[in-house]
Every structure is written in structure tokens, then in C-alpha cells.
């Protein structure tokens, strides 16, 4: 029954059209037009849905809010075929909408929730679709007046998070080709807004985590510098020098580091490691950290007091000799005895003062002249009589050992205690649940005092196991330590001398010669100093 009724066909209207006789030209051409029209609309919708999926993937991968927001606007304009779009984010604390990515505007825009078209959508959560902006009393013409733009059609939809709460608003202006926004545009823009809300929430959370880490790092640096004020600014300077050196490697075309490139996240990881490289100093005794001279202040006070007692002892001995001389030689020799004793006492006090002055010179963090250490051993034999007439050493054995320190102010035990700050740093930083992109912060900071020849500390590891980031930090750390003007235990050396010292250490195989070449040729110090001004 080929020519019978098709009313009950389960294939529907389109199937019936396909069964029309092919020898009817009029019907055939009309059927083709209908099929072409349906296929075009379906292809167009499929293209938009595919675009939505693509932008959803792109948005889920982007964590930088400054890059994400323009991406959302671009895709929103493309999906609904709008001339331009704006995106507003809800600020619940201030009950405002804010935007810094409104197409056609370079300034941040803020408006109260409930005010204007975007504010009403944020307040009610309902879509607003205006076919003729100037015929709608909700439209504010001031933007058009100030910008010279002419708004015709508006589509404004809410952005909702997974809980259904409105987190922002997307507003599209002027459907292209003079058309108006339809229900399909509303549906597509709502779908894009839902994806955008999730992506923005993730980006904001990522930003908050970054601010959290920044705050933690800043607080840690403050804690370090509070315990050792003499090194204030050291961590920041080392971080700036190290990161600048890492960036300079991008322009290196030859040598072992020609192909090394650091991503923004790797640079952030390096910066955090540099800022926190001395974090372990919080585990070192403060007296050792700030030790400016070989003797601690309380030790020097005791030494000075001992010399004062010795001085009084010399005077007492002189008066005893005078009394004995008068008894032996009589009153008539009093003037002569006085003159003799005054001269003798003056010489003895002068020698005592010279010993004290030499001791104070030894106490400073300077290298003694040839024979200085031998004289210290001789002075260790000097004694004085205490209040009970008992002979006591003028210099205690521990004081002699401290005053005999050949370099700096620290004894071997104290130097080991200072060096232990690296172990403390690693142990403390390893307790922090770093993100995947920052997981190497403890490892990089741990190796900043290691040497390429295996003579560094605390592990004395060989060059091949030292991260390149740590090798860069070592150069920056030593340079700043040499040139810093705020260290009480040493004088700052000029830039040229610091570079010479670094070069000698590189020549002896302790520092990386290729990295030091980049450090010098790229003028890292000058660039960082200019940037800080």
C-alpha cells in the first residue's frame, strides 16, 4: 500500500517528506530546502556546543585569573555572536559586582547588587533579554554617552556555582547582523556561565593559596630577621639575585645551560626557596647568630672586670712595697720611695693596659699579625691575686681559645651550630604541604651551602646531585654576604673584590664557573639594584 496514508507512521514528518515522489519537482525542491535549513541549524548548534566543550576544557586548565577572564569573554562573544561582553564577579563582603574585563572599558567597574541590569540579574538570578535597549527603562545610557558606543540588544545571565548560588554575571551586547538574542543564546550563555563560575572559583582559590604562601613566606622572613637583625634584607636580596640569574639563562645560547628554561611556577618555586633558605636559623641560639666578636658580651664584661681587679692588685702591691721600704729606709727616704714606686707602678699599669688593648684587638673579627697567637699563649701565663690572695689567671683558657679564632668570630663548635641551620631549614620546610608545583622548595634550599667539589655542608654531596637552582643560590648568597654593609662582624667588600672572591672559588671547583659567567656577563647585580630603586 505504497500510496496509502502515512499519518500513523512512526518515522514522523521528516520521514514522510522523504517518501514523497521524486518525480514532483516542486515538492522535491521544497523538501531539499527544509532539509538544508534543518541541517544548517543543527550544524550551527553542534558547532556552538562543541565550542562550549572546548572553552570548558580551556577554562578548567587556566589558573591565572587575569588570563581566565578575557578568555571567558572572548568565548562568550563567540558563542552568542555578540559584539562585546562584560563579566562581573560578586563581592559578597561589599555587596557589589566588580569587573576589570569589560570589553570596551579599561577601568575597573563596580556597581551595587540590585543596581542596573547586571545588578538586577545578580540580585534575582533571572535572565534579562532586552531586544531594544533604548526602549527599556532599566538601561543606563551614560556608558554609551561617554564611550560613543550604541547599545541595541542586551542579554544578561547569572553565573551559578555548583551550589546554585549566583557568583557573577555575564552580559552580552549587540547580537551581530542586527538580530536579537533568542532562547538558544540564553541557554548557551547560561551553560558557559556555569562553567565559567567553576573556573573562576578555582582561579580565585588558587589565588588565595598563592596569597597564603606569600603571607607565610613573608612572615617567615620577618621571623628570621627578627632573630638576626644584622642580616635584615639578606633573604630578599638573595631571592632577587637568584631569580634574575635564572631568567638570564633564557638568553644563554652556549654552554651547559643553553637549553635551560624556567617556567613561571618554577621561578616562583626558586623564589620561595631563596627567601626561606635561612629559615632554619630560628633553631640556632640567638647569641650565636648575632655574635659580633669572638667573646660574647658577658664574657668581655667579665674579662674587663678581671683586669680592673688586676689593676687594683698592682696598686695594692705597690703600697705594700712602700710601707716595707719606709720601715727599712726610714721616713727621710719617703720622697725617694714614692718616686720609685710611682715610676714602677706606672710601668706595671701601662703593661697591663697594653695587654688589655691587645686582648681587645684579638677579640675583633680580624686576622692577627704574625706572632699574635703565640703572644696570646704567653699572656695566658699571666696571673693576678684575688681578694683572698690566691693567684688567678688573667686570661681564662676558654677566652684564649676564643681569642685565637683565626677567621670570623665563631669557634668550631659555634660554626657547626650555625651550619646546622641548613638541616633545620630542610626539616622545617619538609613539614609544609607544598603544592605539586612547589614541592622542591625544601630540596633546593637544603643544598645552597653545598660545594661542587664535595666540601660543602651539611651533606658534602657531589656536584651532580646539587640542583642547578641551589648552585645559582649559592652564588647569590655568597655575593650578598660579602657585600652586605650591615654585618657587625665584618666590613663590606666592594663589588669588584666580591666578584674576584667568587671567581677564585669557581676556579678552585667550589662554585659553578658557567653560572658565575652568566652572573657577571648579564650584570645581574646592576639589574637587580636598578629594579629595587
Amino acid at each position: 500500500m505504497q500510496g496509502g496514508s502515512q499519518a500513523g507512521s512512526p518515522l514522523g514528518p521528516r520521514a514522510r517528506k522523504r517518501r514523497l515522489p521524486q518525480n514532483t519537482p516542486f515538492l522535491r525542491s521544497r523538501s531539499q530546502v527544509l532539509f538544508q535549513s534543518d541541517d544548517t541549524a543543527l550544524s550551527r548548534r553542534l558547532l556552538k556546543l562543541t565550542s562550549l566543550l572546548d572553552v570548558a576544557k580551556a577554562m578548567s586548565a587556566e589558573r591565572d585569573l587575569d588570563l581566565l577572564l578575557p578568555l571567558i569573554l572572548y568565548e562568550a562573544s563567540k558563542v552568542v555572536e555578540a559584539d562585546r561582553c562584560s563579566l562581573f564577579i560578586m563581592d559578597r563582603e561589599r555587596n557589589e559586582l566588580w569587573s576589570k574585563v569589560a570589553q570596551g572599558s579599561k577601568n575597573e567597574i563596580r556597581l551595587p547588587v540590585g543596581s542596573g541590569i547586571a545588578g538586577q540579574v545578580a540580585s534575582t538570578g533571572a535572565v534579562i533579554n532586552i531586544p531594544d535597549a533604548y526602549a527599556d527603562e532599566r538601561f543606563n545610557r551614560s556608558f554609551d554617552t561617554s564611550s560613543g558606543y550604541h547599545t541595541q540588544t542586551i542579554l544578561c545571565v547569572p553565573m551559578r556555582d555548583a551550589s546554585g548560588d549566583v557568583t557573577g554575571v555575564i552580559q552580552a551586547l549587540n547580537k551581530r547582523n542586527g538580530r536579537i538574542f533568542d532562547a538558544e543564546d540564553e541557554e548557551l550563555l547560561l551553560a558557559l556561565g556555569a562553567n565559567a563560575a567553576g573556573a573562576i572559583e578555582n582561579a580565585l582559590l588558587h589565588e588565595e593559596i598563592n596569597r597564603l604562601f606569600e603571607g607565610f613566606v613573608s612572615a617567615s622572613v620577618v621571623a628570621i630577621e627578627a632573630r638576626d637583625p644584622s642580616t635584615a634584607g639578606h633573604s630578599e636580596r638573595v631571592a632577587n639575585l637568584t631569580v634574575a640569574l635564572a631568567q638570564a639563562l633564557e638568553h644563554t645560547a652556549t654552554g651547559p645551560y643553553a637549553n635551560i628554561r624556567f617556567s613561571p611556577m618554577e621561578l616562583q618555586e626558586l623564589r620561595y626557596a631563596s627567601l626561606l633558605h635561612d629559615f632554619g636559623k630560628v633553631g640556632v641560639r640567638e647569641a650565636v647568630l648575632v655574635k659580633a666578636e669572638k667573646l660574647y658580651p658577658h664574657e668581655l664584661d667579665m674579662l674587663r672586670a678581671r683586669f680592673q681587679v688586676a689593676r687594683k692588685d698592682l696598686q695594692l702591691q705597690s703600697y705594700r712595697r712602700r710601707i716595707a721600704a719606709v720601715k727599712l729606709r726610714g721616713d727621710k727616704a719617703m720622697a725617694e720611695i714614692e718616686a720609685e714606686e710611682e715610676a714602677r707602678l706606672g710601668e706595671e699599669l701601662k703593661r697591663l693596659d697594653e695587654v688589655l688593648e691587645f686582648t681587645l684587638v684579638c677579640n675583633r673579627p680580624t686576622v692577627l699579625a704574625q706572632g699574635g697567637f703565640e703572644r696570646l699563649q704567653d699572656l695566658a701565663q699571666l696571673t693576678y691575686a684575688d681578694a683572698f690572695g690566691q693567684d688567678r689567671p688573667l686570661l681564662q683558657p676558654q677566652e684564649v681559645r676564643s681569642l685565637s679564632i683565626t677567621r670570623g668570630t665563631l669557634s668550631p663548635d659555634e660554626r657547626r651550630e650555625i651550619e646546622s641551620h641548613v638541616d633545620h631549614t630542610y626539616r622545617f620546610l619538609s613539614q609544609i604541604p607544598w603544592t605539586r608545583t612547589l614541592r622542591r622548595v625544601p630540596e633546593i634550599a637544603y643544598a645552597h651551602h653545598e660545594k661542587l667539589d664535595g666540601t660543602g655542608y651539611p651533606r658534602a654531596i657531589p656536584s651532580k646531585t646539587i640542583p642547578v637552582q641551589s648552585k645559582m643560590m649559592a652564588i647569590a648568597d655568597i655575593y650578598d654576604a660579602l657585600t652586605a654593609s650591615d654585618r657587625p662582624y665584618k666590613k663590606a667588600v666592594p663589588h669588584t673584590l666580591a666578584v674576584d672572591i667568587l671567581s677564585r672559588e669557581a676556579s678552585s671547583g667550589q662554585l659553578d664557573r658557567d653560572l658565575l659567567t652568566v652572573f657577571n656577563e648579564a650584570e645581574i647585580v646592576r639589574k637587580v639594584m636598578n629594579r629595587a630603586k
Side-chain angles (χ1 to χ4, degrees):
M1 297 182 61
Q2 190 170 350
S5 173
Q6 302 287 327
S9 170
L11 300 178
R14 183 174 295 183
R16 290 198 297 273
K17 289 174 183 176
R18 288 176 178 168
R19 294 180 181 180
L20 289 173
Q22 295 299 312
N23 57 356
T24 308
F26 171 76
L27 291 176
R28 184 172 69 248
S29 62
R30 182 176 177 80
S31 175
Q32 289 173 345
V33 169
L34 288 172
F35 277 129
Q36 289 173 358
S37 176
D38 286 348
D39 289 345
T40 301
L42 183 61
S43 297
R44 180 168 156 270
R45 182 173 176 81
L46 183 60
L47 183 63
K48 289 186 176 182
L49 290 174
T50 302
S51 180
L52 272 180
L53 290 174
D54 290 340
V55 71
K57 293 177 184 177
M59 287 191 297
S60 64
E62 184 55 67
R63 292 290 181 266
D64 188 335
L65 197 62
D66 290 333
L67 298 176
L68 175 63
L69 297 180
L71 170 65
I72 294 172
L73 290 189
Y74 172 76
E75 295 297 339
S77 300
K78 189 168 65 173
V79 165
V80 299
E81 302 177 55
D83 180 50
R84 60 177 56 172
C85 286
S86 301
L87 187 149
F88 297 88
I89 297 176
M90 182 79 79
D91 184 344
R92 298 192 186 280
E93 292 184 0
R94 301 172 61 172
N95 198 33
E96 288 182 341
L97 291 173
W98 66 270
S99 173
K100 56 181 178 180
V101 287
Q103 291 178 336
S105 174
K106 296 182 179 180
N107 300 320
E108 180 175 296
I109 301 172
R110 283 191 171 268
L111 58 127
V113 172
S115 172
I117 294 171
Q120 289 182 38
V121 170
S123 177
T124 65
V127 175
I128 292 180
N129 190 342
I130 300 176
D132 185 354
Y134 279 79
D136 194 302
E137 61 182 11
R138 294 171 295 184
F139 176 62
N140 185 348
R141 306 182 183 186
S142 61
F143 178 77
D144 279 12
T145 303
S146 62
S147 66
Y149 187 75
H150 182 73
T151 303
Q152 294 175 316
T153 56
I154 303 174
L155 175 58
C156 194
V157 304
M159 292 164 38
R160 296 182 183 274
D161 60 17
S163 302
D165 296 327
V166 176
T167 60
V169 170
I170 297 181
Q171 182 172 271
L173 302 180
N174 291 354
K175 180 86 170 180
R176 291 173 191 160
N177 299 325
R179 292 175 293 160
I180 62 174
F181 295 108
D182 56 21
E184 182 183 87
D185 293 324
E186 295 178 14
E187 179 186 0
L188 291 171
L189 200 56
L190 280 168
L192 186 142
N195 286 327
I200 290 172
E201 185 176 2
N202 289 337
L204 289 173
L205 180 60
H206 188 261
E207 197 172 87
E208 288 176 3
I209 292 173
N210 283 337
R211 286 201 300 270
L212 173 64
F213 274 124
E214 284 288 339
F216 163 74
V217 171
S218 298
S220 300
V221 172
V222 170
I224 296 166
E225 294 180 349
R227 296 211 65 221
D228 187 5
S230 65
T231 61
H234 170 71
S235 297
E236 183 72 34
R237 292 192 297 269
V238 170
N240 292 338
L241 290 170
T242 306
V243 171
L245 177 54
Q247 292 170 328
L249 290 183
E250 295 183 5
H251 308 289
T252 302
T254 58
Y257 299 109
N259 297 319
I260 284 192
R261 300 292 182 270
F262 293 96
S263 69
M265 290 308 301
E266 287 173 328
L267 290 176
Q268 185 184 43
E269 179 184 62
L270 178 58
R271 178 172 170 269
Y272 284 169
S274 301
L275 285 171
L276 296 172
H277 74 281
D278 280 342
F279 187 37
K281 286 184 176 179
V282 299
V284 178
R285 287 182 299 148
E286 187 171 354
V288 178
L289 280 177
V290 299
K291 191 180 182 188
E293 295 180 318
K294 298 176 184 179
L295 297 177
Y296 291 106
H298 72 276
E299 293 177 324
L300 185 59
D301 289 341
M302 292 177 63
L303 184 143
R304 287 181 180 274
R306 204 179 304 122
F307 270 81
Q308 289 297 322
V309 174
R311 189 179 187 87
K312 288 295 183 182
D313 180 50
L314 290 176
Q315 293 170 343
L316 178 60
Q317 295 300 329
S318 176
Y319 288 126
R320 285 175 175 172
R321 287 195 301 270
R322 296 182 199 202
I323 294 173
V326 169
K327 288 181 179 180
L328 181 64
R329 296 162 58 183
D331 293 345
K332 295 181 181 179
M334 177 73 73
E336 184 180 353
I337 293 171
E338 283 289 331
E340 292 173 356
E341 279 300 323
E342 284 297 324
R344 178 177 175 179
L345 178 61
E347 288 296 323
E348 290 175 340
L349 293 177
K350 181 179 179 181
R351 285 197 297 272
L352 183 66
D353 289 341
E354 288 176 348
V355 171
L356 176 59
E357 182 60 33
F358 176 74
T359 303
L360 295 179
V361 170
C362 293
N363 189 42
R364 299 175 193 135
T366 53
V367 178
L368 292 179
Q370 185 68 27
F373 295 115
E374 290 79 358
R375 186 183 178 192
L376 269 176
Q377 297 301 322
D378 292 338
L379 296 180
Q381 308 305 315
L382 297 178
T383 62
Y384 71 100
D386 63 12
F388 300 99
Q390 301 260 345
D391 283 344
R392 302 288 184 185
L394 193 58
L395 296 177
Q396 297 290 338
Q398 177 58 43
E399 294 170 344
V400 174
R401 285 194 294 271
S402 295
L403 294 170
S404 300
I405 293 172
T406 57
R407 181 180 178 185
T409 64
L410 302 177
S411 68
D413 289 341
E414 291 165 339
R415 187 165 298 281
R416 280 190 291 272
E417 185 175 351
I418 286 286
E419 291 176 355
S420 74
H421 82 274
V422 184
D423 286 312
H424 293 317
T425 294
Y426 181 73
R427 190 173 71 254
F428 293 158
L429 295 184
S430 295
Q431 301 300 313
I432 299 169
W434 299 98
T435 62
R436 282 175 295 176
T437 55
L438 301 174
R439 66 184 181 278
R440 296 189 67 202
V441 166
E443 175 191 354
I444 295 170
Y446 197 17
H448 77 276
H449 275 301
E450 300 291 351
K451 302 293 185 182
L452 272 61
D453 59 0
T455 61
Y457 65 86
R459 294 170 294 163
I461 57 178
S463 172
K464 62 181 180 180
T465 59
I466 303 175
V468 64
Q469 296 96 323
S470 306
K471 295 177 182 179
M472 292 188 291
M473 195 194 308
I475 293 173
D477 188 37
I478 295 173
Y479 177 85
D480 187 72
L482 289 170
T483 58
S485 59
D486 49 8
R487 305 293 173 91
Y489 47 82
K490 72 168 194 63
K491 293 182 179 180
V493 304
H495 169 77
T496 52
L497 179 55
V499 171
D500 287 342
I501 294 173
L502 289 172
S503 298
R504 287 199 294 271
E505 294 202 12
S507 298
S508 65
Q510 296 184 329
L511 296 178
D512 192 297
R513 184 191 300 272
D514 296 293
L515 288 175
L516 182 60
T517 298
V518 177
F519 184 83
N520 293 329
E521 292 182 352
E523 298 183 302
I524 300 299
V525 175
R526 181 184 61 80
K527 290 178 181 178
V528 169
M529 290 179 62
N530 290 342
R531 196 183 307 160
K533 292 179 180 178

